Amino acid sequence: MILRRTMMGMAGAAVAALMATSAMAQDVTLRMHQFLPPQANVPKLVLDVWADKIEADSEGRIKIERYPSMQLGGKPPELMDQAIDGVADIIWTVVGYTPGRYPSTEVFELPFMMTNARAMSSAYWQMFEKHMKDTEFKDVHILGTWVHGPGLIHANKEVRTPDDMAGLKLRGGSRLASDLIKELGGTPVGMPVPAVPEGLSKGVIDGTTIPWEVTKALKVPELVKNHTEFTGNALYTLTFVLAMNKDRYEGLPDDLKKIVDDNSGLEFSIFAGGTMEDSDGPSRQLAVDAGNNIVTLTAEETEVWKAAAQPVIDTWLADMDSKGIDGQALIDEARALIAAYKE
């Protein structure tokens, strides 16, 4: 009897130890939702790389299921709310898909603010931590903040001066991009980037404002034959976030939370923005190979566009002031951080 009780006690202890170990080594499955097809550059070169690293660093304890092309339902402008509400655990989205909701991010989307994606993404993360983390983004856990490379115009006719914008129906990817198109004489048409190919092929739009990077996935060089680039600072850029449901993040065991933290933040943001910009060249080459008309404006020609775009900045400053935000201080801080960036 004594032996039997001893054996039963040992067995019970073993089961308890096994259960404790199992609890410590619990597996976590996270659903990542975004709007582009899986073969596009951001899913392939940024999001999958990030997710694979999380899985590897956690030795398989974290599994990230990837849902491209809005496979979990809804439309791209709903992604942020999906992260907040827990429809998805992680989302990647264009901040401007919810116009005016995150106003401080728009400082990076102002006309001709854009220098290069690494410097911009670095400044964006630093200003997010200082100004936005506990205010505009308090309902979600942000994993990364970045911008794409230089934004430009792709159209069904040559665009060289602001006057050439008259009558053009152009897709704008954000509130400020649409305001800029309107100020320059065009007609802005709001639509998520996956809708661009159909919009171009059906004549709903005459062109679009996007960086070179995504033109390959959207087959833009096949649909329009004119592209306008700017010398110096770019016409515009868009802001992105990789965001996680706050409760889902807080509910992770500390060791898994640390793995997520170690793969998020400033360095990841710089990597993501830089990777997008690095993808501009190969996509641009497709337009070159197709014999398309690529107009690269001189510094003097670009200055004409800057002057024409200034009212957009003035209006934004007034709008920020009405919200109790010092827009000029944000511009000054962003420019200083961008200039201070060293690779």
Side-chain angles (χ1 to χ4, degrees), residues 29-95:
T29 299
L30 302 173
R31 296 160 300 158
M32 181 167 65
H33 199 204
Q34 54 88 19
F35 57 87
L36 286 179
Q39 68 273 18
N41 286 321
V42 172
K44 181 174 61 177
L45 301 178
V46 177
L47 302 181
D48 282 348
V49 170
W50 178 84
D52 290 347
K53 184 72 162 45
I54 294 284
E55 291 179 343
D57 288 358
S58 68
E59 298 181 339
R61 289 177 57 203
I62 299 177
K63 177 177 174 55
I64 299 181
E65 295 178 347
R66 299 98 193 267
Y67 294 91
S69 303
M70 302 304 298
Q71 288 179 353
L72 290 179
K75 299 178 180 179
E78 298 169 9
L79 280 165
M80 188 64 80
D81 282 327
Q82 289 186 357
I84 293 170
D85 298 338
V87 173
D89 300 308
I90 300 168
I91 61 93
W92 171 68
T93 191
V94 177
V95 178

Side-chain angles (χ1 to χ4, degrees), residues 165-186:
M165 295 280 285
L168 277 182
K169 295 176 293 182
L170 294 178
R171 175 260 180 185
S174 69
R175 181 175 79 99
L176 284 183
S178 293
D179 287 350
L180 178 60
I181 291 166
K182 185 176 181 180
E183 185 63 37
L184 296 173

Side-chain angles (χ1 to χ4, degrees), residues 9-28:
M10 292 174 62
V15 170
L18 182 62
M19 290 176 64
T21 302
S22 176
M24 289 176 61
Q26 64 179 288
D27 292 336
V28 175

Side-chain angles (χ1 to χ4, degrees), residues 30-339:
L30 302 173
R31 296 160 300 158
M32 181 167 65
H33 199 204
Q34 54 88 19
F35 57 87
L36 286 179
Q39 68 273 18
N41 286 321
V42 172
K44 181 174 61 177
L45 301 178
V46 177
L47 302 181
D48 282 348
V49 170
W50 178 84
D52 290 347
K53 184 72 162 45
I54 294 284
E55 291 179 343
D57 288 358
S58 68
E59 298 181 339
R61 289 177 57 203
I62 299 177
K63 177 177 174 55
I64 299 181
E65 295 178 347
R66 299 98 193 267
Y67 294 91
S69 303
M70 302 304 298
Q71 288 179 353
L72 290 179
K75 299 178 180 179
E78 298 169 9
L79 280 165
M80 188 64 80
D81 282 327
Q82 289 186 357
I84 293 170
D85 298 338
V87 173
D89 300 308
I90 300 168
I91 61 93
W92 171 68
T93 191
V94 177
V95 178
Y97 282 170
T98 50
R101 189 169 174 181
Y102 305 99
S104 297
T105 65
E106 292 181 336
V107 66
F108 297 102
E109 299 182 348
L110 290 170
F112 298 101
M113 177 69 80
M114 204 286 162
T115 55
N116 72 80
R118 287 180 173 86
M120 295 279 286
S121 300
S122 173
Y124 182 9
W125 179 264
Q126 293 176 75
M127 291 181 66
F128 156 74
E129 286 204 301
K130 182 176 179 181
H131 301 292
M132 310 171 207
K133 181 178 181 178
D134 299 319
T135 55
E136 294 170 21
F137 289 102
K138 61 181 172 49
D139 295 327
V140 71
H141 181 77
I142 300 295
L143 303 166
T145 62
W146 67 92
V147 304
H148 62 57
L152 61 149
I153 297 168
H154 312 265
N156 59 12
K157 74 167 192 176
E158 181 176 282
V159 175
R160 186 173 288 276
T161 71
D163 291 342
D164 296 327
M165 295 280 285
L168 277 182
K169 295 176 293 182
L170 294 178
R171 175 260 180 185
S174 69
R175 181 175 79 99
L176 284 183
S178 293
D179 287 350
L180 178 60
I181 291 166
K182 185 176 181 180
E183 185 63 37
L184 296 173
T187 301
V189 179
M191 63 173 61
V193 73
V196 166
E198 182 178 5
L200 289 172
S201 62
K202 291 186 175 182
V204 175
I205 52 176
D206 301 311
T208 183
T209 52
I210 50 175
W212 280 115
E213 170 268 323
V214 76
T215 57
K216 177 181 178 181
L218 301 179
K219 301 187 184 302
V220 169
E222 301 172 26
L223 295 167
V224 297
K225 299 300 180 182
N226 299 277
H227 316 271
T228 304
E229 302 174 321
F230 298 80
T231 293
N233 289 13
L235 180 67
Y236 83 103
T237 191
L238 294 184
T239 54
F240 303 95
V241 290
L242 185 66
M244 186 171 180
N245 176 269
K246 203 162 190 176
D247 290 339
R248 200 76 169 97
Y249 170 78
E250 294 294 346
L252 291 174
D254 288 345
D255 60 333
L256 296 188
K257 193 181 294 182
K258 184 177 187 303
I259 289 169
V260 172
D261 292 344
D262 289 346
N263 287 282
S264 306
L266 179 62
E267 289 186 12
F268 168 64
S269 299
I270 294 169
F271 158 78
T275 299
M276 286 191 76
E277 185 164 4
D278 290 346
S279 299
D280 284 345
S283 294
R284 184 183 188 276
Q285 189 58 44
L286 294 177
V288 173
D289 294 343
N292 288 6
N293 177 37
I294 300 177
V295 175
T296 302
L297 301 179
T298 65
E300 291 75 19
E301 290 172 322
T302 300
E303 285 298 323
V304 175
W305 286 76
K306 284 185 179 180
Q310 183 60 42
V312 175
I313 299 173
D314 297 338
T315 300
W316 181 80
L317 286 169
D319 184 40
M320 292 301 102
D321 184 62
S322 72
K323 292 178 167 64
I325 298 172
D326 189 340
Q328 188 59 54
L330 289 179
I331 291 175
D332 294 343
E333 183 176 358
R335 285 176 173 161
L337 289 170
I338 292 164

